[in-house]
Amino acid sequence: MSVAPELAKPGNPGQQTATAVDAMATAITPAPAEKKDDQAQPKGERKPQRRIDEKFKIFSGTANPELAHEVCKHLGMDLGQTMSQRFQDGERYVQILENVRGADVFMIQPTCYPVDEHIMELLLFIDAFKRASARRITPVIPYFGYARQDRKDKPRSPISSKLVADLLTTAGADRAVIVDLHAPQIQGFFNMPVDHLFASPVLVSYFKEQNLPDLTVVSPDAGGVERARFFAKKMNDSALAIVDKRRTAMNVTEVMHVIGDVQGRTCLVLDDIIDTAGTLVKTAAALKEAGAKRIVACSTHAVLSGPATERLAQSPIEQVVVTNTIPLTEQAKRDLAGKVKVLSIAGLIGSAIKSIHEETSVSKLFV
């Protein structure tokens, strides 16, 4: 007779010291509390009606529940109830706490740090939805981990992003929603429909309001030129510059020179991911040396691993604008206080989810 391993219990003297991963040992997504309005509603005004559709449900893992709550608020609905626990031996256990039979289910879970932990949790939830007879299961992955491992760049190495795509399919996902893949062709790794969203409308809207003078959009490497060109066009056909970069080792870069005129101009450095910030900081140094007057940076995914926050804090970059695909760590909030600006993509994701559920076009959200 097999016996299930004992669930980790708070206060157990034999339990190991908590770490960043162990802090997620038990998580139950609560129903958002309704705030009571002590003042009378002005005549003629009504509170937004909450969406009541038992066959349309949104759930969240432990990676970014704040974003999931924002998406639900945008759509006027409640976040679904789930439970996620860890056994004492480290195994993950999840459970859905409401009926999803025949429902169109959306599971919001960026696969950010700890990447493997969040991928495994997502796979377990997908399997649970499948076994609970959900009609359609759509993982919504604001940040797709392993996206940078999209080819065999060395002998005897894996194509990890393809493996993760296969795992999602095998677990039972019917389609996927992903924001700003590192390489758009990764969509081809999936044997199911993928709605690839771009955060550029949110970023463009913000920078248009800033009305930056003498703007030049800068790509930190040759691979990001297409992204930078598109962004520059949306920013009233701003000038474009490219920084030639040579990578000497993994997570280590060396900037060579700037292609384009940045003398006396405001430079907006655009990238999809800020990881250790080595590329971004060296790009800023090269731009400053080339005579740039101001330097601002923006990125969709604020991974901010290792020395990233310290590097950005000491860099000549005036402001770093990111989205909330990944929640900022407490260290990032502390080290970059006043320097980082987080924009919400809840409206973008919410609109995509609504269009998919209602079987209407999502194309207008792609650009």
Side-chain angles (χ1 to χ4, degrees):
M1 180 177 66
S2 61
V3 180
E6 183 182 355
L7 284 172
K9 297 177 182 177
N12 189 335
Q15 191 172 351
Q16 295 181 353
T17 304
T19 63
V21 176
D22 294 327
M24 301 189 305
T26 303
I28 299 178
T29 54
E34 293 289 342
K35 295 182 180 179
K36 293 183 179 179
D37 191 359
D38 296 331
Q39 298 180 352
Q41 282 287 108
K43 194 172 182 179
E45 292 187 13
R46 295 181 179 179
K47 290 184 179 180
Q49 294 294 319
R50 300 198 72 78
R51 180 188 295 268
I52 301 176
D53 185 349
E54 292 300 323
K55 299 302 180 183
F56 177 28
K57 294 177 182 286
I58 297 177
F59 296 87
S60 173
T62 59
N64 197 348
E66 295 83 5
L67 175 59
H69 278 294
E70 285 187 44
V71 170
C72 287
K73 184 178 179 181
H74 174 80
L75 294 173
M77 57 191 296
D78 293 328
L79 186 65
Q81 301 294 292
T82 61
M83 179 183 69
S84 183
Q85 291 184 321
R86 191 198 301 278
F87 291 112
Q88 288 186 347
D89 65 353
E91 291 181 10
R92 174 63 61 179
Y93 172 78
V94 303
Q95 184 181 8
I96 304 157
L97 303 179
E98 59 184 77
N99 180 31
V100 294
R101 185 178 296 275
D104 191 8
V105 169
F106 294 84
M107 182 67 189
I108 300 176
Q109 175 87 328
T111 52
C112 50
Y113 177 84
V115 179
D116 296 343
E117 170 72 20
H118 288 143
I119 288 176
M120 191 64 200
E121 185 183 46
L122 176 59
L123 294 172
L124 291 173
F125 269 119
I126 292 173
D127 185 72
F129 288 125
K130 178 178 67 175
R131 297 178 188 280
S133 301
R135 177 175 61 84
R136 181 171 63 180
I137 305 166
T138 305
V140 179
I141 310 174
Y143 170 69
F144 184 72
Y146 287 101
R148 287 173 284 181
Q149 298 185 47
D150 59 349
R151 63 192 181 278
K152 284 192 65 173
D153 57 347
K154 296 180 180 66
R156 299 171 297 280
S157 61
I159 304 179
S160 305
S161 54
K162 168 60 175 170
L163 174 60
V164 174
D166 287 343
L167 288 172
L168 291 169
T169 304
T170 301
D174 296 297
R175 68 184 304 130
V177 177
I178 305 176
V179 180
D180 271 336
L181 280 166
H182 185 64
Q185 59 266 30
I186 292 175
Q187 296 173 76
F189 289 169
F190 290 82
N191 296 321
M192 59 181 169
V194 174
D195 294 301
H196 185 203
L197 306 180
F198 298 94
S200 53
V202 177
L203 295 170
V204 166
S205 176
Y206 172 79
F207 283 110
K208 279 187 174 180
E209 292 176 359
Q210 302 307 301
N211 196 25
L212 299 175
D214 303 319
L215 180 64
T216 296
V217 177
V218 180
S219 172
D221 53 37
V225 172
E226 185 178 351
R227 184 187 307 111
R229 184 186 294 115
F230 173 82
F231 202 92
K233 184 177 180 180
K234 291 294 182 180
M235 293 295 295
N236 303 317
D237 284 324
S238 298
L240 179 67
I242 306 166
V243 175
D244 178 35
K245 177 189 73 173
R246 291 188 181 180
R247 190 173 295 276
T248 57
M250 190 173 294
N251 290 336
V252 178
T253 61
E254 181 181 354
V255 172
M256 302 302 289
H257 61 276
V258 178
I259 303 172
D261 182 20
V262 297
Q263 178 74 37
R265 299 184 67 83
T266 299
C267 291
L268 172 58
V269 184
L270 175 69
D271 210 349
D272 62 324
I273 300 173
I274 302 177
D275 188 356
T276 60
T279 298
L280 184 55
V281 168
K282 289 180 180 180
T283 296
L287 293 172
K288 204 70 177 176
E289 188 177 344
K293 184 178 180 181
R294 296 177 59 195
I295 303 171
V296 180
C298 74
S299 175
T300 302
H301 309 298
V303 176
L304 301 180
S305 61
T309 56
E310 182 181 352
R311 286 174 174 174
L312 290 172
Q314 297 174 357
S315 73
I317 301 171
E318 292 183 12
Q319 187 182 44
V320 180
V321 181
V322 298
T323 72
N324 60 343
T325 57
I326 300 174
L328 285 186
T329 63
E330 291 302 319
Q331 180 183 352
K333 293 176 183 177
R334 182 176 62 254
D335 293 350
L336 300 176
K339 197 168 191 175
V340 65
K341 171 74 174 178
V342 181
L343 305 179
S344 177
I345 60 165
L348 177 72
I349 292 177
S351 297
I353 289 175
K354 183 173 182 288
S355 293
I356 293 169
H357 174 66
E358 296 178 350
E359 305 291 350
T360 58
S361 176
V362 189
S363 300
K364 61 181 180 295
L365 303 173
F366 285 176
V367 293

